Amino acid sequence: QLQLVESGGGLVQPGGSLRLSCAASGFTLDSYAIGWFRQAPGKEREGVSCISRSSTSTRYADSVKGRFTISRDNAQRTVYLQMNSLKPEDTAVYYCAAASSLYGICVLRDVYSDWGQGTQITVSS
C-alpha cells in the first residue's frame, strides 16, 4: 500500500528555516514525481514545489523561489523541502503528493494521485 508521511513541521519565527521530509513506503519512489502543496485556512490548495523522478526537473511557485529548495533521495525513499527565510504568509498545512503519470517532468497542478496527511507550518513571532 502506497503511503506518504510528512514530518518536520512546527512553529518558527519569521526569517527562520525548516526542513520538511516526505517519507514514502509501499512503492518505489523513483517511479513517481513528487509535489509539495500547501493550504492555508480559507484559501485554496496551491502547488509549492515539485521534483521529477530522477531530479532532472524541479519547479517552484513564484512566492517561494529563492527561498525553498526541493530534493529527493530515492534510495532513502524520502523527498525534502528546505524552507528558508520563512514568512508569515508561508503558514499553512503542507502536503506531499506522488504522481506516477509524469515522466521526466513535474507540475504544480493537481495531477497527483496519492497524498500524505499533511504537516502544519506556522510562521509567527
Side-chain angles (χ1 to χ4, degrees):
Q1 180 179 355
L2 190 155
Q3 188 175 19
L4 297 166
V5 179
E6 303 94 338
S7 62
L11 173 65
V12 63
Q13 292 186 343
S17 298
L18 284 174
R19 188 176 79 158
L20 300 184
S21 298
C22 173
S25 62
F27 65 104
T28 304
L29 185 61
D30 60 8
S31 295
Y32 290 76
I34 300 294
W36 283 99
F37 293 77
R38 68 185 181 187
Q39 187 166 22
K43 295 187 177 181
E44 292 187 355
R45 186 169 60 193
E46 64 171 340
V48 175
S49 182
C50 66
I51 188 166
S52 63
R53 297 181 178 201
S54 58
S55 304
T56 54
S57 176
T58 59
R59 293 181 182 270
Y60 297 92
D62 288 343
S63 58
V64 306
K65 279 181 182 176
R67 300 188 297 122
F68 290 12
T69 303
I70 192 169
S71 62
R72 65 191 294 161
D73 184 337
N74 288 337
Q76 295 297 321
R77 295 187 172 183
T78 304
V79 177
Y80 304 98
L81 186 68
Q82 178 67 43
M83 305 184 296
N84 298 328
S85 302
L86 283 161
K87 304 176 181 180
E89 50 264 43
D90 294 318
T91 296
V93 178
Y94 284 70
Y95 302 88
C96 64
S100 62
S101 58
L102 300 173
Y103 295 84
I105 63 169
C106 69
V107 296
L108 292 179
R109 293 180 287 109
D110 188 1
V111 300
Y112 295 80
S113 56
D114 298 277
W115 294 77
Q117 83 289 347
T119 186
Q120 175 72 46
I121 303 294
T122 302
V123 184
S124 175
S125 55

